[in-house]
Amino acid sequence: MSNRIVVSLSPHEKDDLNIEKIMWGVVIALAPAFLASVYFYGLHAVRVVALSLIFCVGIEYVIQKFVTKEKITAFDGSAAITGLLLAFNVPSSIPWWQLLVGSVAAIGVAKMAFGGLGKNPFNPALVGRAFMLASFPVHMTTWPVPLKNLWTLGADAVTGATPLGVLAEHGPANLPGYMDLFIGKIGGCIGEVSAAAILIGGIYMLYKKIITWHIPVFYLLSLAGFSGILWMVDSSKYADPLFHMLAGGAMLGAWFMATDMVTSPMSVKGQIVFAVGGGILCGAIRIFGSYPEGCSYSILIMNAFVPLIDKYTKPRRFGTEVNYEFPG
Amino acid sequence: MNLKTFKRGGVHPPENKFSAGVPIQPLGIPERANIILLQNLGAPSVPVVKKGDKVKVGTLIGKAEAFISSNLHSSVSGTVEKIDDVVGFSGYKTPAVIIKVEGDEWEESIDRSPDLVTDIELEPEAIVEKIKEMGIVGLGGATFPAHVKYLGSPDRKADTLVVNGVECEPYLTSDHRLMLEKADEIMVGIRVMMKAGRVDRALVGIEANKPDAVENMRNKAENYPGIEIVPLKVMYPQGAEKQLVKALLNREIPSGKLPLDVGCIVNNVGTAFAVYEAVQKNKPLIERVVTITGKKLKKTGNFLARVGSPSSMLLEAVGETMPEGTRKIIGGGPMMGKALNSIDIPIYKGTSGLVLVDEAETWRREPLNCIRCAKCVGVCPMGLEPYLLEKLAKKERFDACEAESIVDCIECGSCSYTCPSALPLLDYIRYGKTNVMRIMRERRQK
Amino acid sequence: MNPVILYSLATLGVLAAGAAMILFFVARKFRVDEDPRIDEVADLLPGANCGGCGYPGCRGFAEALVKAADAGDMSGLNCPPGGGDTMAAVGAFLGAEVGEATPMVAVVRCGGTCEKAPPKLEYNGPAKCDIAHKLFSGTNGCPYGCLGLGDCVAVCDYDAIHMDKETGLPVVDDEKCVACGLCVTACPRRIIELRPKGKKNRRVWVNCINKEKGAVARKNCQAACIACQICVKTCPEKIQAFIFKDNLAYIDTDKCIACGLCVPVCPTGAILATFTPPKPKPKTKPEAKPEPKPASEEATS
């Protein structure tokens, strides 16, 4: 090794923030949701999560090694996050090969085809889920009930409807109670059921400064606001806003999907616009659309608007707030 | 207690102020002084000596012949050997007056006594003329000729003098020590500058990580009317001119404008001290306090160094040789300083310190893809979007760079410092900035 | 016929006719009248839009050509990639005389290889010559020398210039080079110059642009021009192709006949030729002839 003096440009210091720290921070934030999913769905949840992780990380590794032949970054944590989020967005009885198809769509199409980390316009986990929902509608809408057959893989699952499914079919009567919704003792995709676990993870991410509060709070508030207005107009037809915030994938979407840094706007103003648009769309799809759940589509649609939002919501440049006048 | 600050952006690198407790020592006389002719922003000084001339400490050796230029004085006594090119801070060779040192004889007009001279006898115009004559430049690092700031302008009048005692760069402690050891002189210097700028009020900003300096300056300020000491939040770049004015006065200097456009004049505490010596003691700017520091140095120090001394003298003065494994020598602080070619580069008026960097911290990380985390946007004190500017500059889309206000960048380095993908943001922004400024210049000339 | 098919055909037919009418009228109303020759001339040009002609793209050049042909003066207009054939075709089409253009080629004028100009510093930053140039004088210390980071390679559209990994200098492939001039402006130090290819591809040039005093230049690079002026004296009286200014020798291509006499006499090997130069005449004085190896490493690929 040479001993020559090195010349480089300033700054000559770097803090220790790197991609791995951010990504693995999010993975840790997803741990409470994972534990909740195991509590409610037992081995099935473990199966789904393990398969999804192996598929997503594996597909990224294979593509980087054999197809693009570039530097291998499959283990930096971003593929793991996609794997976890994809797993959290499917029911616990999903067949393994459907999960594989979803992972290929998520990592191969939505992420690597656009150029890898940082270049994708759409949230990969949501693209994977949307692809699976369109391709395998039956399996993707068959939800085993929680706390049954936890430790017996392979046994026939007892299935039931999700709270949003009940709302769509039968209206706002006979909905599960708030406590069940908050803890997660309801039917649904394995990661979205427990609002409490997601909230813990979200607060952890806020503490570690991985995300800021604007997107989750504004998403949930605008969803609540939109559904709340309709509920106040006719509460026999529409569910109340607290129900909407806790049911379905709204919590998971607001805290983990909408906050994905690659696919969300770059300024605080833009993030608020993005979150408000997403919340309203989510409510609109749930109430007026033919799908019982609209969270994933609302975020995907707002992802498409992000370049436009970025263009028109630039941070205020220093020096534009002219507040000094010479006296006299 | 809520400390004032510039509110938006900024980073907090580790302070590493190892030499904060080391008193200022004189560095001593070099064998040969390489006094570079370009020691200020603007035009270089024109030499008024030639080979063979004898000079004393304080003899004029270079004259300011452009509007933005400054005088240059010899910092040693001896014989002018030649006027030749030496490698300077810029990494390129630059003309310098090379003096073979003989003894240490000073010009008789310089008052070398340690007495404090508090009466300011000169009128404002005479003070400005004296500052120009004595070759005072801004000692905060930009080396702007100080007298130009006080020339005044008919449509813009200043009401406050802002004194920069922040020293937000990690490692550097020369201003800190000056405020501890020469506070009285600094106070008189500030009064001189207040008279020159015709202002009644001076605010001295000091970062809160120097509580002893704040206290000492506060005690001394009680004897001098109109001077207020304001401790500021520890955040880089608190000492940047625009950020400092925003923090102390809550006034934002618009793009392309000067502090005078919002009614204030900004100068460094080191400059205040130099102004004191120039106006009250008739001493031109020939020496300044320089910090020598580094993680691997067993001893660090702050030295009063003569301009033109080789930087290697600083290392000898702390009794060390270059530590094993040193791979980078930074002139200035690690955030905005320049990586030097060697340890022999001569000290000039803008040298605030020398930081020796070990192998482990020398190399940059391999850059990865931008993950659009917006951390760079969050830390930019000027409200710019570094990720976008870097992308546009790389693609040479200079018209788009100009539209995104790339010229507002103060090159503080906060964006590159924090980027998780270790992208060379500031490198490309600088590339874009120089090209945009060239295009703007060409447009003006048409 | 099934009424559904009938209705579908009728509706689509009406829609198509309506769209066609709209397009017809819009095209007529917004038509830009232009000299039809411009399009034809543009078709004759290579279509690379390299800017070597000095105009914005082939279309811009075509406009200039038509204007010049009408004005009667086609001098100064040349398409380097198209060469003589293209210009002749354009001239024939427009009915105007085109001047003879000398074929040019890009010449790299630096001999600071890793061996001759060993690095004293290391650079850690983006691989862009423009950025490194503003930072410092270079890893070997010569402020005029090649930085080796490849801005010239990146900008070439014709795959005609590549970085030699061993020497650290760019090498021009003179078969592919069309002398468009992009590498000349890309180099922040203006090391690359467009010079005439020369009769039978014979050309001679000084492989250094260092303007420092000889001793100073030599400290950084063993292949630098040391301003000894032996080459100037060697060039025959009648020819005098050398211009000596600022401690640097320069060969004027208007005068140089590519005889190659100056090549072997240069003590540092700073003068290069694309051919093997003749051996120097034996000197009358009994001094040891310094016979440096003729610098014919330049590939004539």
Side-chain angles (χ1 to χ4, degrees):
Chain A
M1 269 317 297
S2 74
N3 269 331
R4 297 194 293 267
I5 295 288
V6 177
V7 177
S8 58
L9 295 132
S10 65
H12 305 282
E13 276 199 346
K14 176 86 187 66
D15 68 1
D16 52 5
L17 188 62
N18 58 17
I19 293 184
E20 280 89 5
K21 274 213 175 89
I22 297 178
M23 297 300 166
W24 292 109
V26 176
V27 171
I28 292 172
L30 283 168
F34 173 62
L35 292 173
S37 72
V38 173
Y39 176 77
F40 288 116
Y41 296 102
L43 272 183
H44 307 272
V46 177
R47 175 188 73 98
V48 170
V49 168
L51 282 177
S52 181
L53 274 174
I54 292 170
F55 289 151
C56 284
V57 177
I59 290 170
E60 181 162 321
Y61 177 81
V62 162
I63 292 179
Q64 284 185 331
K65 191 154 166 85
F66 300 111
V67 179
T68 54
K69 297 200 182 55
E70 61 185 23
K71 185 170 161 138
I72 307 270
T73 56
F75 303 107
D76 64 8
S78 55
I81 293 179
T82 305
L84 276 174
L85 287 174
L86 184 63
F88 288 169
N89 265 308
V90 299
S92 64
S93 55
I94 197 88
W96 67 270
W97 55 275
Q98 293 185 358
L99 206 47
L100 178 60
V101 169
S103 305
V104 170
I107 297 286
V109 175
K111 186 172 166 191
M112 298 311 285
F114 284 95
L117 182 62
K119 309 257 180 62
N120 47 296
F122 294 103
N123 188 316
L126 286 179
V127 170
R129 181 211 145 99
F131 191 84
M132 288 169 77
L133 186 58
S135 316
F136 315 116
V138 177
H139 284 101
M140 281 293 283
T141 50
T142 307
W143 289 284
V145 296
L147 298 171
K148 287 243 178 343
N149 296 332
L150 286 184
W151 310 110
T152 50
L153 277 178
D156 280 330
V158 179
T159 60
T162 62
L164 282 178
V166 172
L167 174 66
E169 290 279 313
H170 308 293
N174 299 327
L175 291 172
Y178 294 132
M179 210 22 130
D180 282 345
L181 283 169
F182 189 64
I183 300 291
K185 205 170 138 205
I186 47 174
C189 298
I190 64 173
E192 70 184 20
V193 289
S194 177
I198 293 168
L199 196 57
I200 294 173
I203 292 173
Y204 174 80
M205 285 200 295
L206 284 176
Y207 166 69
K208 281 285 185 182
K209 294 200 175 44
I210 296 172
I211 62 169
T212 53
W213 61 270
H214 306 90
I215 292 185
V217 168
F218 277 97
Y219 187 94
L220 290 169
L221 281 183
S222 24
L223 171 62
F226 182 82
S227 55
I229 292 174
L230 290 166
W231 173 71
M232 284 197 291
V233 165
D234 183 356
S235 66
S236 63
K237 214 162 118 189
Y238 303 109
D240 57 277
L242 186 56
F243 171 82
H244 271 286
M245 281 209 291
L246 295 174
M251 282 293 279
L252 184 65
W255 287 96
F256 288 97
M257 310 292 218
T259 53
D260 171 38
M261 25 182 74
V262 178
T263 52
S264 55
M266 298 290 272
S267 62
V268 172
K269 273 187 282 204
Q271 286 169 352
I272 294 176
V273 170
F274 173 79
V276 167
I280 293 177
L281 268 175
C282 182
I285 297 176
R286 279 181 180 182
I287 294 172
F288 301 120
S290 51
Y291 286 108
E293 168 60 290
C295 182
S296 31
Y297 295 111
S298 70
I299 297 176
L300 283 172
I301 292 172
M302 289 316 288
N303 282 157
F305 280 99
V306 164
L308 193 65
I309 294 175
D310 270 340
K311 187 165 171 191
Y312 288 108
T313 55
K314 299 212 170 274
R316 184 183 70 81
R317 307 282 183 227
F318 185 96
T320 47
E321 189 183 287
V322 182
N323 55 3
Y324 183 74
E325 294 244 347
F326 282 103
Chain B
M1 181 188 44
N2 267 336
L3 292 168
K4 285 190 178 169
T5 179
F6 54 91
K7 295 197 189 72
R8 193 166 50 145
V11 289
H12 190 180
E15 292 160 34
N16 290 333
K17 302 266 189 185
F18 303 132
S19 46
V22 183
I24 302 172
Q25 304 279 345
L27 184 62
I29 323 280
E31 276 177 23
R32 196 172 262 102
N34 295 342
I35 304 182
I36 296 176
L37 285 168
L38 181 58
Q39 297 206 21
N40 53 271
L41 259 183
S45 317
V46 176
V48 295
V49 292
K50 54 188 190 306
K51 178 169 171 171
D53 285 354
K54 290 250 185 272
V55 292
K56 294 191 199 155
V57 178
T59 311
L60 184 73
I61 58 174
K63 235 177 132 35
E65 299 215 340
F67 176 53
I68 303 199
S69 184
S70 72
N71 283 349
L72 194 59
H73 299 82
S74 173
S75 59
V76 291
S77 66
T79 321
V80 175
E81 219 173 59
K82 54 184 166 172
I83 297 178
D84 199 8
D85 291 343
V86 299
V87 180
F89 253 55
S90 64
Y92 282 88
K93 289 220 180 81
T94 173
V97 177
I98 301 174
I99 302 175
K100 178 96 185 58
V101 179
E102 292 147 8
D104 189 26
E105 234 184 288
W106 290 57
E107 290 279 348
E108 285 86 34
S109 50
I110 302 176
D111 175 0
R112 296 191 70 189
S113 69
D115 311 325
L116 185 69
V117 178
T118 48
D119 289 331
I120 305 169
E121 288 164 359
L122 294 176
E123 287 306 307
E125 293 86 6
I127 295 177
V128 177
E129 200 43 52
K130 193 80 183 211
I131 293 177
K132 176 178 177 184
E133 194 193 313
M134 295 284 135
I136 310 294
V137 298
L139 294 183
T143 63
F144 188 76
H147 66 278
V148 179
K149 288 187 183 172
Y150 294 93
L151 288 175
S153 151
D155 50 343
R156 298 174 295 175
K157 198 185 151 344
D159 63 20
T160 312
L161 175 71
V162 170
V163 184
N164 190 342
V166 174
E167 202 159 46
C168 52
E169 281 265 14
Y171 290 101
L172 300 182
T173 54
S174 45
D175 289 347
H176 186 177
R177 293 307 311 177
L178 263 182
M179 289 192 287
L180 284 176
E181 298 176 32
K182 301 279 182 196
D184 274 309
E185 287 88 343
I186 293 173
M187 289 295 158
V188 180
I190 295 176
R191 292 291 308 168
V192 172
M193 295 196 296
M194 284 165 74
K195 192 166 180 190
R198 297 170 209 263
V199 299
D200 303 316
R201 175 170 82 134
L203 295 174
V204 183
I206 306 180
E207 246 185 358
N209 58 4
K210 303 184 238 302
D212 49 357
V214 173
E215 200 189 311
N216 190 34
M217 293 284 278
R218 271 213 171 117
N219 290 339
K220 302 288 182 188
E222 282 169 17
N223 304 328
Y224 300 88
I227 303 181
E228 190 192 330
I229 311 294
V230 183
L232 296 170
K233 183 168 171 200
V234 181
M235 184 66 97
Y236 176 85
Q238 191 74 260
E241 189 173 72
K242 293 191 174 179
Q243 276 58 45
L244 186 61
V245 170
K246 169 86 181 165
L248 287 174
L249 296 168
N250 199 22
R251 298 178 197 170
E252 285 197 2
I253 302 172
S255 170
K257 299 270 190 247
L258 299 165
L260 194 55
D261 291 297
V262 294
C264 60
I265 304 174
V266 185
N267 265 131
N268 184 277
V269 281
T271 316
F273 179 68
V275 164
Y276 164 80
E277 297 212 298
V279 175
Q280 305 292 80
K281 299 284 200 171
N282 222 19
K283 180 177 159 194
L285 182 53
I286 50 115
E287 57 186 6
R288 62 157 296 155
V289 182
V290 181
T291 306
I292 168 86
T293 176
K295 280 197 177 145
K296 287 276 158 68
L297 283 176
K298 293 190 206 68
K299 280 175 57 193
T300 58
N302 302 291
F303 292 97
L304 189 59
R306 304 280 177 104
V307 164
S309 317
S311 308
S312 49
M313 277 184 77
L314 290 165
L315 203 50
E316 286 158 22
V318 284
E320 302 228 14
T321 50
M322 190 86 93
E324 182 81 34
T326 301
R327 293 301 297 278
K328 208 192 278 197
I329 304 165
I330 304 175
M335 293 300 284
M336 284 183 78
K338 196 116 197 323
L340 302 177
N341 287 10
S342 78
I343 193 84
D344 301 312
I345 308 265
I347 293 173
Y348 76 120
K349 291 178 184 174
T351 310
S352 44
L354 219 72
V355 182
L356 299 179
V357 182
D358 187 60
E359 169 99 45
E361 299 191 352
T362 296
W363 301 101
R364 290 177 167 191
R365 293 203 318 241
E366 188 75 32
L368 298 165
N369 281 358
C370 168
I371 59 170
R372 293 176 49 89
C373 65
K375 292 238 183 293
C376 57
V377 181
V379 300
C380 179
M382 298 300 286
L384 301 172
E385 297 170 280
Y387 78 97
L388 182 62
L389 293 173
E390 188 240 9
K391 216 162 44 162
L392 292 172
K394 232 190 207 154
K395 294 195 157 80
E396 316 221 344
R397 288 182 49 193
F398 300 126
D399 47 349
C401 284
E402 192 181 344
E404 299 287 345
S405 317
I406 199 174
V407 292
D408 284 352
C409 173
I410 58 172
E411 301 186 23
C412 67
S414 302
C415 51
S416 290
Y417 178 80
T418 195
C419 177
S421 305
L423 286 168
L425 295 169
L426 186 58
D427 298 349
Y428 282 102
I429 292 176
R430 254 193 290 247
Y431 173 67
K433 207 173 147 191
T434 39
N435 277 294
V436 167
M437 289 172 88
R438 174 183 54 84
I439 292 172
M440 286 166 76
R441 241 194 328 260
E442 286 168 8
R443 204 189 301 147
R444 270 200 301 268
Q445 280 167 0
K446 280 222 182 82
Chain C
M1 205 199 285
N2 188 334
V4 174
I5 297 177
L6 206 59
Y7 285 135
S8 312
L9 279 174
T11 320
L12 286 172
V14 166
L15 276 174
M21 298 266 280
I22 294 175
L23 281 170
F24 175 71
F25 283 115
V26 168
R28 266 253 295 261
K29 180 166 166 31
F30 291 110
R31 166 203 279 288
V32 172
D33 270 314
E34 215 183 36
D35 194 334
R37 293 179 297 165
I38 298 183
D39 274 325
E40 307 246 5
V41 170
D43 279 335
L44 290 170
L45 296 174
N49 289 319
C50 68
C53 51
Y55 290 90
C58 296
R59 200 109 216 302
F61 189 46
E63 283 175 23
L65 282 168
V66 171
K67 221 172 23 188
D70 288 341
D73 182 14
M74 298 275 282
S75 61
L77 293 172
N78 180 41
C79 169
D85 295 335
T86 303
M87 290 310 290
V90 169
F93 174 76
L94 289 172
E97 278 247 10
V98 285
E100 263 289 333
T102 21
M104 309 275 274
V105 74
V107 174
V108 176
R109 298 175 299 158
C110 177
T113 62
C114 296
E115 213 188 294
K116 298 271 179 170
K120 305 188 188 77
L121 298 168
E122 258 186 81
Y123 171 68
N124 182 222
K128 215 162 154 55
C129 302
D130 210 319
I131 293 181
H133 169 66
K134 296 217 165 51
L135 173 64
F136 69 143
S137 51
T139 53
N140 52 32
C142 173
Y144 297 85
C146 173
L147 291 156
L149 296 168
D151 276 10
C152 48
V153 177
V155 84
C156 181
D157 282 330
Y158 295 92
D159 196 30
I161 183 167
H162 299 280
M163 204 52 84
D164 182 335
K165 294 242 171 14
E166 275 171 29
T167 59
L169 296 173
V171 175
V172 176
D173 179 342
D174 52 8
E175 302 267 298
K176 291 195 185 148
C177 174
V178 298
C180 67
L182 284 175
C183 57
V184 178
T185 39
C187 176
R189 296 184 164 178
R190 295 291 185 271
I191 290 171
I192 307 182
E193 192 191 22
L194 286 182
R195 291 172 77 89
K197 257 187 166 151
K199 285 207 246 311
K200 297 192 214 139
N201 210 31
R202 285 169 70 96
R203 51 185 181 277
V204 188
W205 68 93
V206 177
N207 205 33
C208 178
I209 55 167
N210 185 307
K211 299 202 173 78
E212 295 175 311
K213 289 209 187 65
V216 176
R218 197 166 164 80
K219 270 215 198 82
N220 290 322
C221 176
Q222 297 292 305
C225 170
I226 53 171
C228 62
Q229 300 199 54
I230 295 178
C231 51
V232 184
K233 296 181 197 121
T234 309
C235 188
E237 279 270 347
K238 292 184 294 213
I239 299 176
Q240 285 298 296
F242 274 92
I243 299 174
F244 184 80
K245 199 165 98 99
D246 291 329
N247 304 308
L248 179 67
Y250 178 81
I251 295 177
D252 185 352
T253 47
D254 289 335
K255 302 210 182 111
C256 175
I257 57 164
C259 65
L261 285 172
C262 53
V263 178
V265 303
C266 174
T268 56
I271 305 185
L272 295 187
T274 49
F275 52 94
T276 317
K279 288 219 178 357
K281 292 201 191 66
K283 287 205 169 39
T284 49
K285 292 204 185 108
E287 271 167 43
K289 308 187 283 246
E291 191 140 303
K293 181 162 150 13
S296 52
E297 299 112 18
E298 272 304 296
T300 46
S301 49

